[in-house]
Each structure stands twice: as structure tokens, then as C-alpha cells.
Amino acid sequence: MLQLDQIVAGYNKSVALDGVSISIPEGRIVSVVGANGAGKSTIVNTISRLVTTYAGSIRFEGQDITGRKPAQVVELGIVQVPEGRRLFAPLTVEENLRLGFHRLAGKADSQRRYQERLDYVLELFPIMRQRIHQRAGTMSGGEQQMVAISRALMAGPKLLMLDEPSLGLAPMIVDQIFEILAKLRKDGLTILLVEQHADDALQLADYGYIMAVGRVRAEGPGNSLRDNPALHQSYLGKV
Ligand code: ATP
């Protein structure tokens, strides 16, 4: 569905990705793991076209999207759950979800589609049903992450990209969120998961990439990367 080919990208002429190639097949979960500063967020922001690309290409469903603008990328169905959630804290849960729907808002039959999307996310996260009128900023970190994922799902994405969804959350909540990602894959969604929690992210993934200092250092089926102690020691900082 999406291919990064030999991407060189960065900030103010400094290079954060140095020839990165990644492939995300339709209906799969691909995880990108690595230590702080490895370039994981830069991959997500490169695909969203928020980061300048110096060389290489990005293809989505057969089209070259390297020159596209961020809004055009969303319009194609590539939607990001950003690091740190970035909810609108003074707005209610429902208002945040409505903002996520804006990609589909002007389209035919939008009221029915809004209700369908809303029913879908409330089924995934039943806890939000009682919280729908609560201000997002007053929710716990785990609840806010659920709202952030739901807001992205309201846009009806083809490719969902999550940047460190586990950040600051208790292990039990992380497990719940990863279970939801597995359910989304079952429903046919394609997912790019960027994570420092390497073990969990690789276990969930169909395919994984290990990054260090702007380059892909290893790739393969998620479980084979997770079960390789040498890779852990070299790139993930533990045995
Ligand atoms: P983390 O988990 O800490 O977010 P990461 O693997 O996602 O790490 P990136 O955020 O992609 O790493 O950062 C890769 C490199 O790019 C780092 O050297 C970082 O300092 C640099 N970088 C990231 N964002 C910016 C920015 N807005 N301006 C300048 N340099 C940046």
C-alpha cells in the first residue's frame, strides 16, 4: 500500500533519515522500533509530508505522493495519531471526534457516515460512551489516547499511523490499546506503529524495522526480530 524508497529527510538541512526504505502492505501492521532520536517520528512526519524530503520517493497505492501537501495526504486516507495525542483539551470528546470527521464531512450522505463512524469507535472503546460530553483535557492519559485513536478513525483512514501510543501509559492500558490495534487489523485496516516499547510492538507486527541513528539496521517478521537477542543488545539497549 505504501512504500518509502531511499528517503533522505530532515530539519534545516540536518539529516534525520539517511536512505530509509520501508514497505507497508495492505491489511498488515508494520512496526518501526528504535531508541530515542533514531528517526521514528520523522518517518511518520515524512509520510504526512510535515518534514522536508531531500531525496527518495513515497508511493501510496501506486501514486507518487512525495510532492503532496499534508492536507492532500489526509485526503488520500493517510491519517496520523500524533505523539503526545494533541487533543483539543477544552473541547469535549464528541467535539474532538467531530474534528476528526472533517475529511468526510462535505461528502454525500455525511450524517449517516458520521453516525456509522461514531458507532464504530464507541464499540471499540465503550468507556467513551459515558464520557462523550467530558472535556478531553480532564481525562486520564489512557482515555486521551483512546480519544486520539478514535479521532483518527473518524476520518475513515486507509492507513493509520500511530506515533508512540504507549507513551506515559501503564502496561495494562498499553495492552488494551495493542489489542484494539489487532482488532483494527482484523477489520482490514493497514497500520504503521512507531514505538519505543519494542517487544510489544514487534510481537503485534506482521513485519518490523529496527532503526538507529537515521537508518534501518534490521528488518523482518516481527517475532523473528523480537526473539533475536543480538539485535536487542545492539539497537534496543537491552539483552
Ligand atoms: P523519539 O522517540 O525521542 O521521538 P524518534 O526515533 O522518533 O525519537 P525523531 O523524533 O524522528 O526520533 O528524531 C530524529 C532526529 O531528528 C533527532 O536527531 C532529532 O533531534 C531530530 N529532530 C526531530 N525533530 C526535529 C525538529 N523539529 N527540528 C530539528 N531536529 C529535529
Side-chain angles (χ1 to χ4, degrees):
M1 177 179 262
L2 185 128
Q3 285 87 34
L4 295 188
D5 187 24
Q6 289 296 320
I7 288 288
V8 180
Y11 309 88
N12 306 321
K13 306 224 166 98
S14 77
V15 168
L17 299 179
D18 189 7
V20 168
S21 299
I22 280 180
S23 180
I24 307 174
E26 186 168 356
R28 304 294 161 136
I29 298 180
V30 169
S31 290
V32 175
V33 302
N36 263 331
K40 306 182 298 299
S41 299
T42 306
I43 289 182
V44 170
N45 291 327
T46 294
I47 297 169
S48 295
R49 305 312 301 121
L50 296 166
V51 168
T52 311
T53 301
Y54 307 128
S57 68
I58 312 164
R59 294 184 76 76
F60 179 68
E61 293 189 317
Q63 300 180 55
D64 189 329
I65 63 162
T66 322
R68 300 292 174 95
K69 302 222 153 42
Q72 295 173 319
V73 171
V74 173
E75 193 53 39
L76 290 171
I78 302 177
V79 179
Q80 177 174 357
V81 182
E83 186 168 358
R85 293 137 208 162
R86 308 259 182 103
L87 293 177
F88 294 91
L91 301 187
T92 66
V93 170
E94 189 173 16
E95 288 165 340
N96 272 280
L97 296 182
R98 204 170 266 284
L99 288 171
F101 186 72
H102 95 273
R103 172 172 112 86
L104 304 174
K107 309 250 158 85
D109 217 3
S110 69
Q111 192 49 43
R112 185 186 56 78
R113 289 172 88 181
Y114 177 75
Q115 198 55 50
E116 256 175 31
R117 299 304 307 164
L118 187 63
D119 290 345
Y120 181 65
V121 300
L122 293 178
E123 203 172 303
L124 281 177
F125 299 110
I127 190 174
M128 285 190 339
R129 226 176 257 283
Q130 309 97 342
R131 308 294 187 105
I132 197 89
H133 300 302
Q134 186 171 334
R135 284 181 201 277
T138 64
M139 301 178 90
S140 73
E143 290 162 356
Q144 290 194 22
Q145 188 62 66
M146 292 175 196
V147 178
I149 294 172
S150 300
R151 179 180 59 183
L153 292 173
M154 290 298 289
K158 291 180 181 169
L159 171 64
L160 181 70
M161 304 193 290
L162 300 105
D163 191 353
E164 304 262 359
S166 73
L167 199 70
L169 303 183
M172 204 177 74
I173 308 288
V174 176
D175 288 349
Q176 280 176 20
I177 285 175
F178 280 25
E179 272 169 33
I180 293 291
L181 299 184
K183 163 120 193 2
L184 291 172
R185 168 175 54 193
K186 219 162 157 205
D187 289 351
L189 192 61
T190 308
I191 295 176
L192 172 63
L193 172 63
V194 158
E195 260 297 340
Q196 271 192 60
H197 269 165
D199 280 351
D200 293 342
L202 291 174
Q203 181 171 338
L204 177 68
D206 297 290
Y207 201 81
Y209 294 84
I210 299 183
M211 303 254 327
V213 210
R215 293 205 174 140
V216 172
R217 305 297 164 149
E219 65 178 276
N223 284 330
S224 76
L225 294 182
R226 191 201 52 182
D227 297 337
N228 185 329
L231 291 177
H232 273 259
Q233 200 162 23
S234 305
Y235 301 119
L236 303 172
K238 55 187 172 165
V239 182

